[in-house]
Short mmCIF file of all heavy atoms in Angstrom, two decimals:
data_model
loop_
_atom_site.label_atom_id
_atom_site.label_comp_id
_atom_site.label_asym_id
_atom_site.label_seq_id
_atom_site.Cartn_x
_atom_site.Cartn_y
_atom_site.Cartn_z
N MET A 114 94.56 60.57 -6.96
CA MET A 114 95.41 60.54 -8.14
C MET A 114 94.73 61.15 -9.36
O MET A 114 95.40 61.44 -10.32
CB MET A 114 95.83 59.11 -8.45
CG MET A 114 96.81 58.52 -7.48
SD MET A 114 98.36 59.42 -7.35
CE MET A 114 99.08 59.07 -8.93
N GLU A 115 93.43 61.35 -9.28
CA GLU A 115 92.75 61.96 -10.42
C GLU A 115 93.07 63.44 -10.56
O GLU A 115 92.98 63.99 -11.65
CB GLU A 115 91.24 61.78 -10.27
CG GLU A 115 90.80 60.34 -10.35
CD GLU A 115 89.32 60.18 -10.07
OE1 GLU A 115 88.64 61.20 -9.91
OE2 GLU A 115 88.87 59.03 -10.02
N ILE A 116 93.45 64.07 -9.47
CA ILE A 116 93.75 65.50 -9.50
C ILE A 116 95.00 65.79 -10.32
O ILE A 116 95.16 66.88 -10.85
CB ILE A 116 93.86 66.05 -8.06
CG1 ILE A 116 93.86 67.58 -8.06
CG2 ILE A 116 95.12 65.55 -7.40
CD1 ILE A 116 92.54 68.15 -8.37
N ILE A 117 95.90 64.82 -10.43
CA ILE A 117 97.13 65.03 -11.18
C ILE A 117 96.85 65.26 -12.67
O ILE A 117 97.63 65.93 -13.34
CB ILE A 117 98.11 63.87 -10.96
CG1 ILE A 117 99.53 64.33 -11.26
CG2 ILE A 117 97.76 62.67 -11.80
CD1 ILE A 117 100.58 63.45 -10.66
N ILE A 118 95.73 64.77 -13.14
CA ILE A 118 95.33 65.01 -14.53
C ILE A 118 95.12 66.49 -14.77
O ILE A 118 95.37 67.01 -15.85
CB ILE A 118 94.07 64.20 -14.87
CG1 ILE A 118 94.37 62.71 -14.80
CG2 ILE A 118 93.52 64.58 -16.22
CD1 ILE A 118 93.14 61.83 -14.93
N TYR A 119 94.67 67.21 -13.75
CA TYR A 119 94.42 68.64 -13.87
C TYR A 119 95.65 69.47 -13.49
O TYR A 119 95.88 70.54 -14.03
CB TYR A 119 93.24 69.05 -12.99
CG TYR A 119 91.96 68.35 -13.38
CD1 TYR A 119 91.43 67.36 -12.56
CD2 TYR A 119 91.32 68.66 -14.57
CE1 TYR A 119 90.26 66.72 -12.91
CE2 TYR A 119 90.16 68.01 -14.93
CZ TYR A 119 89.62 67.04 -14.10
OH TYR A 119 88.48 66.40 -14.46
N LEU A 120 96.42 68.98 -12.54
CA LEU A 120 97.54 69.76 -12.04
C LEU A 120 98.70 69.85 -13.03
O LEU A 120 99.36 70.89 -13.10
CB LEU A 120 98.04 69.17 -10.72
CG LEU A 120 97.13 69.38 -9.52
CD1 LEU A 120 97.75 68.72 -8.29
CD2 LEU A 120 96.89 70.85 -9.28
N ILE A 121 98.96 68.80 -13.76
CA ILE A 121 100.08 68.82 -14.72
C ILE A 121 99.83 69.85 -15.83
O ILE A 121 100.71 70.67 -16.09
CB ILE A 121 100.37 67.41 -15.26
CG1 ILE A 121 100.97 66.57 -14.15
CG2 ILE A 121 101.31 67.48 -16.46
CD1 ILE A 121 101.21 65.13 -14.52
N PRO A 122 98.67 69.87 -16.48
CA PRO A 122 98.46 70.91 -17.50
C PRO A 122 98.45 72.33 -16.93
O PRO A 122 98.95 73.26 -17.56
CB PRO A 122 97.10 70.57 -18.10
CG PRO A 122 96.90 69.14 -17.80
CD PRO A 122 97.60 68.90 -16.51
N VAL A 123 97.92 72.50 -15.72
CA VAL A 123 97.92 73.82 -15.09
C VAL A 123 99.36 74.26 -14.83
O VAL A 123 99.72 75.42 -15.09
CB VAL A 123 97.09 73.81 -13.80
CG1 VAL A 123 97.31 75.07 -12.99
CG2 VAL A 123 95.62 73.64 -14.12
N ALA A 124 100.19 73.38 -14.32
CA ALA A 124 101.58 73.71 -14.07
C ALA A 124 102.32 74.03 -15.36
O ALA A 124 103.13 74.96 -15.40
CB ALA A 124 102.27 72.56 -13.33
N LEU A 125 102.05 73.28 -16.41
CA LEU A 125 102.70 73.56 -17.69
C LEU A 125 102.25 74.90 -18.26
O LEU A 125 103.07 75.65 -18.81
CB LEU A 125 102.40 72.44 -18.68
CG LEU A 125 103.08 71.10 -18.37
CD1 LEU A 125 102.60 70.04 -19.36
CD2 LEU A 125 104.58 71.24 -18.42
N CYS A 126 100.98 75.23 -18.12
CA CYS A 126 100.47 76.52 -18.60
C CYS A 126 101.08 77.68 -17.81
O CYS A 126 101.44 78.71 -18.39
CB CYS A 126 98.96 76.56 -18.53
SG CYS A 126 98.16 75.52 -19.75
N LEU A 127 101.18 77.54 -16.50
CA LEU A 127 101.79 78.60 -15.70
C LEU A 127 103.27 78.77 -16.02
O LEU A 127 103.78 79.89 -16.07
CB LEU A 127 101.62 78.30 -14.21
CG LEU A 127 100.21 78.49 -13.66
CD1 LEU A 127 100.15 78.03 -12.21
CD2 LEU A 127 99.76 79.92 -13.80
N GLY A 128 103.97 77.67 -16.25
CA GLY A 128 105.37 77.76 -16.65
C GLY A 128 105.53 78.42 -18.00
O GLY A 128 106.44 79.24 -18.20
N ALA A 129 104.66 78.09 -18.94
CA ALA A 129 104.71 78.71 -20.26
C ALA A 129 104.38 80.20 -20.18
O ALA A 129 105.01 81.02 -20.87
CB ALA A 129 103.75 78.01 -21.21
N ALA A 130 103.44 80.57 -19.32
CA ALA A 130 103.11 81.98 -19.15
C ALA A 130 104.28 82.75 -18.54
O ALA A 130 104.58 83.88 -18.96
CB ALA A 130 101.87 82.12 -18.28
N GLY A 131 104.96 82.16 -17.59
CA GLY A 131 106.14 82.80 -17.00
C GLY A 131 107.25 82.95 -18.00
O GLY A 131 107.92 83.99 -18.06
N LEU A 132 107.47 81.94 -18.81
CA LEU A 132 108.50 82.01 -19.85
C LEU A 132 108.15 83.06 -20.89
O LEU A 132 109.01 83.82 -21.32
CB LEU A 132 108.67 80.64 -20.51
CG LEU A 132 109.73 80.55 -21.60
CD1 LEU A 132 111.11 80.85 -21.04
CD2 LEU A 132 109.70 79.18 -22.25
N ALA A 133 106.88 83.13 -21.27
CA ALA A 133 106.45 84.13 -22.24
C ALA A 133 106.63 85.54 -21.68
O ALA A 133 107.06 86.46 -22.39
CB ALA A 133 104.99 83.89 -22.63
N ALA A 134 106.32 85.74 -20.40
CA ALA A 134 106.50 87.05 -19.77
C ALA A 134 107.97 87.43 -19.72
O ALA A 134 108.34 88.59 -19.96
CB ALA A 134 105.90 87.06 -18.38
N PHE A 135 108.83 86.47 -19.43
CA PHE A 135 110.27 86.75 -19.40
C PHE A 135 110.79 87.10 -20.79
O PHE A 135 111.56 88.06 -20.95
CB PHE A 135 111.03 85.55 -18.84
CG PHE A 135 112.52 85.71 -18.89
CD1 PHE A 135 113.15 86.59 -18.04
CD2 PHE A 135 113.28 85.00 -19.80
CE1 PHE A 135 114.52 86.76 -18.08
CE2 PHE A 135 114.64 85.15 -19.85
CZ PHE A 135 115.27 86.03 -18.99
N ILE A 136 110.40 86.35 -21.80
CA ILE A 136 110.84 86.63 -23.17
C ILE A 136 110.33 88.00 -23.62
O ILE A 136 111.05 88.76 -24.26
CB ILE A 136 110.40 85.50 -24.11
CG1 ILE A 136 111.19 84.24 -23.80
CG2 ILE A 136 110.57 85.89 -25.57
CD1 ILE A 136 110.72 83.00 -24.53
N TRP A 137 109.08 88.33 -23.28
CA TRP A 137 108.54 89.64 -23.63
C TRP A 137 109.35 90.75 -22.97
O TRP A 137 109.65 91.77 -23.60
CB TRP A 137 107.08 89.73 -23.20
CG TRP A 137 106.54 91.12 -23.36
CD1 TRP A 137 106.09 91.70 -24.50
CD2 TRP A 137 106.44 92.10 -22.33
NE1 TRP A 137 105.71 92.99 -24.24
CE2 TRP A 137 105.90 93.26 -22.91
CE3 TRP A 137 106.74 92.10 -20.97
CZ2 TRP A 137 105.67 94.41 -22.18
CZ3 TRP A 137 106.50 93.25 -20.26
CH2 TRP A 137 105.97 94.38 -20.86
N SER A 138 109.71 90.58 -21.69
CA SER A 138 110.45 91.62 -20.99
C SER A 138 111.85 91.79 -21.57
O SER A 138 112.36 92.92 -21.65
CB SER A 138 110.52 91.34 -19.50
OG SER A 138 111.32 90.21 -19.24
N VAL A 139 112.47 90.72 -22.00
CA VAL A 139 113.79 90.83 -22.61
C VAL A 139 113.69 91.53 -23.97
O VAL A 139 114.48 92.41 -24.29
CB VAL A 139 114.45 89.43 -22.75
CG1 VAL A 139 115.67 89.49 -23.63
CG2 VAL A 139 114.80 88.88 -21.38
N ASN A 140 112.69 91.17 -24.75
CA ASN A 140 112.53 91.76 -26.07
C ASN A 140 112.09 93.22 -26.01
O ASN A 140 112.36 93.98 -26.94
CB ASN A 140 111.52 90.97 -26.90
CG ASN A 140 112.09 89.64 -27.35
OD1 ASN A 140 113.29 89.46 -27.43
ND2 ASN A 140 111.21 88.70 -27.64
N SER A 141 111.42 93.63 -24.95
CA SER A 141 110.96 95.02 -24.86
C SER A 141 112.01 95.94 -24.23
O SER A 141 111.76 97.12 -24.06
CB SER A 141 109.66 95.10 -24.06
OG SER A 141 109.88 94.77 -22.72
N GLY A 142 113.16 95.40 -23.87
CA GLY A 142 114.26 96.23 -23.38
C GLY A 142 114.23 96.51 -21.89
O GLY A 142 114.81 97.49 -21.44
N GLN A 143 113.60 95.68 -21.11
CA GLN A 143 113.54 95.91 -19.67
C GLN A 143 114.90 95.75 -18.99
O GLN A 143 115.12 96.30 -17.92
CB GLN A 143 112.55 94.94 -19.03
CG GLN A 143 111.13 95.17 -19.45
CD GLN A 143 110.57 96.46 -18.90
OE1 GLN A 143 110.83 96.81 -17.76
NE2 GLN A 143 109.81 97.15 -19.71
N TYR A 144 115.79 95.01 -19.59
CA TYR A 144 117.09 94.73 -18.97
C TYR A 144 118.24 95.45 -19.67
O TYR A 144 119.40 95.08 -19.50
CB TYR A 144 117.36 93.23 -18.97
CG TYR A 144 116.32 92.46 -18.21
CD1 TYR A 144 115.38 91.69 -18.88
CD2 TYR A 144 116.27 92.51 -16.84
CE1 TYR A 144 114.42 90.98 -18.18
CE2 TYR A 144 115.31 91.81 -16.13
CZ TYR A 144 114.39 91.05 -16.81
OH TYR A 144 113.44 90.35 -16.11
N GLU A 145 117.96 96.50 -20.42
CA GLU A 145 118.99 97.18 -21.18
C GLU A 145 119.90 98.02 -20.28
O GLU A 145 121.10 98.03 -20.44
CB GLU A 145 118.36 98.07 -22.25
CG GLU A 145 117.74 97.29 -23.38
CD GLU A 145 118.75 96.52 -24.20
OE1 GLU A 145 119.86 97.02 -24.43
OE2 GLU A 145 118.42 95.39 -24.60
N ASP A 146 119.33 98.79 -19.36
CA ASP A 146 120.10 99.73 -18.55
C ASP A 146 120.04 99.32 -17.08
O ASP A 146 119.25 99.86 -16.31
CB ASP A 146 119.56 101.14 -18.74
CG ASP A 146 120.41 102.18 -18.06
OD1 ASP A 146 121.57 101.88 -17.73
OD2 ASP A 146 119.91 103.29 -17.83
N LEU A 147 120.85 98.37 -16.70
CA LEU A 147 120.82 97.88 -15.33
C LEU A 147 121.50 98.84 -14.35
O LEU A 147 121.17 98.87 -13.17
CB LEU A 147 121.47 96.50 -15.25
CG LEU A 147 120.76 95.40 -16.03
CD1 LEU A 147 121.53 94.11 -15.93
CD2 LEU A 147 119.34 95.22 -15.53
N ASP A 148 122.47 99.63 -14.82
CA ASP A 148 123.20 100.53 -13.94
C ASP A 148 122.57 101.91 -13.86
O ASP A 148 122.91 102.70 -12.98
CB ASP A 148 124.65 100.68 -14.40
CG ASP A 148 125.42 99.38 -14.28
OD1 ASP A 148 125.10 98.62 -13.35
OD2 ASP A 148 126.33 99.15 -15.09
N GLY A 149 121.66 102.22 -14.76
CA GLY A 149 121.09 103.56 -14.80
C GLY A 149 120.33 103.94 -13.56
O GLY A 149 120.43 105.06 -13.06
N ALA A 150 119.55 103.03 -13.00
CA ALA A 150 118.76 103.35 -11.81
C ALA A 150 119.66 103.62 -10.61
O ALA A 150 119.36 104.49 -9.78
CB ALA A 150 117.80 102.21 -11.51
N SER A 151 120.75 102.91 -10.50
CA SER A 151 121.64 103.12 -9.36
C SER A 151 122.36 104.46 -9.47
O SER A 151 122.70 105.06 -8.45
CB SER A 151 122.65 101.99 -9.25
OG SER A 151 123.46 101.95 -10.41
N TYR A 152 122.58 104.98 -10.67
CA TYR A 152 123.21 106.29 -10.83
C TYR A 152 122.18 107.41 -10.72
O TYR A 152 122.48 108.49 -10.23
CB TYR A 152 123.93 106.39 -12.16
CG TYR A 152 125.18 105.54 -12.22
CD1 TYR A 152 125.34 104.60 -13.20
CD2 TYR A 152 126.19 105.68 -11.27
CE1 TYR A 152 126.47 103.80 -13.25
CE2 TYR A 152 127.32 104.89 -11.31
CZ TYR A 152 127.46 103.96 -12.31
OH TYR A 152 128.58 103.18 -12.35
N ARG A 153 120.95 107.17 -11.17
CA ARG A 153 119.92 108.20 -11.11
C ARG A 153 119.55 108.56 -9.68
O ARG A 153 119.21 109.71 -9.39
CB ARG A 153 118.68 107.75 -11.86
CG ARG A 153 118.72 108.08 -13.33
CD ARG A 153 117.35 107.88 -13.95
NE ARG A 153 116.87 106.51 -13.79
CZ ARG A 153 117.07 105.54 -14.67
NH1 ARG A 153 117.75 105.78 -15.76
NH2 ARG A 153 116.58 104.34 -14.45
N ILE A 154 119.62 107.61 -8.77
CA ILE A 154 119.25 107.90 -7.39
C ILE A 154 120.29 108.80 -6.72
O ILE A 154 119.98 109.50 -5.76
CB ILE A 154 119.04 106.59 -6.59
CG1 ILE A 154 118.23 106.85 -5.36
CG2 ILE A 154 120.36 105.95 -6.26
CD1 ILE A 154 117.70 105.62 -4.70
N LEU A 155 121.50 108.82 -7.24
CA LEU A 155 122.55 109.66 -6.67
C LEU A 155 122.51 111.08 -7.19
O LEU A 155 123.10 111.98 -6.59
CB LEU A 155 123.92 109.04 -6.95
CG LEU A 155 124.16 107.67 -6.33
CD1 LEU A 155 125.49 107.11 -6.79
CD2 LEU A 155 124.10 107.75 -4.82
N GLU A 156 121.84 111.33 -8.31
CA GLU A 156 121.77 112.67 -8.89
C GLU A 156 120.85 113.55 -8.07
O GLU A 156 119.79 113.12 -7.60
CB GLU A 156 121.28 112.59 -10.33
CG GLU A 156 122.24 111.90 -11.26
CD GLU A 156 121.70 111.78 -12.65
OE1 GLU A 156 120.63 112.31 -12.94
OE2 GLU A 156 122.36 111.12 -13.47
N ASP A 157 121.24 114.79 -7.92
CA ASP A 157 120.43 115.76 -7.17
C ASP A 157 119.55 116.52 -8.15
O ASP A 157 120.04 117.34 -8.92
CB ASP A 157 121.33 116.70 -6.40
CG ASP A 157 120.56 117.58 -5.45
OD1 ASP A 157 119.43 117.20 -5.09
OD2 ASP A 157 121.10 118.63 -5.05
N GLU A 158 118.26 116.28 -8.11
CA GLU A 158 117.33 116.93 -9.02
C GLU A 158 116.52 118.02 -8.33
O GLU A 158 115.64 118.61 -8.96
CB GLU A 158 116.40 115.89 -9.65
CG GLU A 158 117.11 114.88 -10.51
CD GLU A 158 116.16 113.85 -11.09
OE1 GLU A 158 114.95 113.96 -10.86
OE2 GLU A 158 116.65 112.96 -11.78
N ASP A 159 116.79 118.28 -7.06
CA ASP A 159 116.05 119.30 -6.34
C ASP A 159 116.46 120.69 -6.82
O ASP A 159 117.62 120.97 -7.06
CB ASP A 159 116.29 119.19 -4.84
CG ASP A 159 115.75 117.90 -4.27
OD1 ASP A 159 114.83 117.33 -4.89
OD2 ASP A 159 116.26 117.47 -3.22
N LYS A 160 115.48 121.57 -6.94
CA LYS A 160 115.76 122.94 -7.33
C LYS A 160 116.11 123.73 -6.08
O LYS A 160 115.47 123.60 -5.04
CB LYS A 160 114.52 123.55 -8.00
CG LYS A 160 114.16 122.86 -9.28
CD LYS A 160 112.93 123.48 -9.88
CE LYS A 160 112.54 122.73 -11.14
NZ LYS A 160 111.31 123.24 -11.73
N PRO A 161 117.13 124.58 -6.18
CA PRO A 161 117.46 125.40 -5.00
C PRO A 161 116.36 126.42 -4.73
O PRO A 161 115.68 126.88 -5.62
CB PRO A 161 118.77 126.10 -5.40
CG PRO A 161 118.89 125.91 -6.86
CD PRO A 161 118.02 124.77 -7.27
N LEU A 162 116.20 126.74 -3.45
CA LEU A 162 115.15 127.70 -3.06
C LEU A 162 115.52 129.11 -3.41
O LEU A 162 116.54 129.60 -3.35
CB LEU A 162 114.87 127.58 -1.56
CG LEU A 162 114.30 126.23 -1.14
CD1 LEU A 162 114.22 126.18 0.38
CD2 LEU A 162 112.93 126.04 -1.74
#
């Protein structure tokens, strides 16, 4: 039961780090263009020979 003293703060720190990473990704615009990648893969960018 002594290990729980260490596990609870570690779990809270990892959760806070995950939340901070998610907030950073939202604020930096990672989720702005969700449809763009699906349309870009259909475009033909190859140069003709």
Side-chain angles (χ1 to χ4, degrees):
M114 289 301 290
E115 294 175 5
I116 193 72
I117 202 161
I118 295 172
Y119 299 108
L120 288 179
I121 290 176
V123 168
L125 290 175
C126 288
L127 287 175
L132 181 62
F135 175 72
I136 291 172
W137 172 81
S138 68
V139 168
N140 288 337
S141 67
Q143 294 290 321
Y144 300 107
E145 289 294 323
D146 186 18
L147 296 177
D148 295 328
S151 62
Y152 290 124
R153 273 192 301 269
I154 199 166
L155 297 175
E156 294 177 5
D157 188 22
E158 296 179 2
D159 295 336
K160 296 179 183 177
L162 296 174

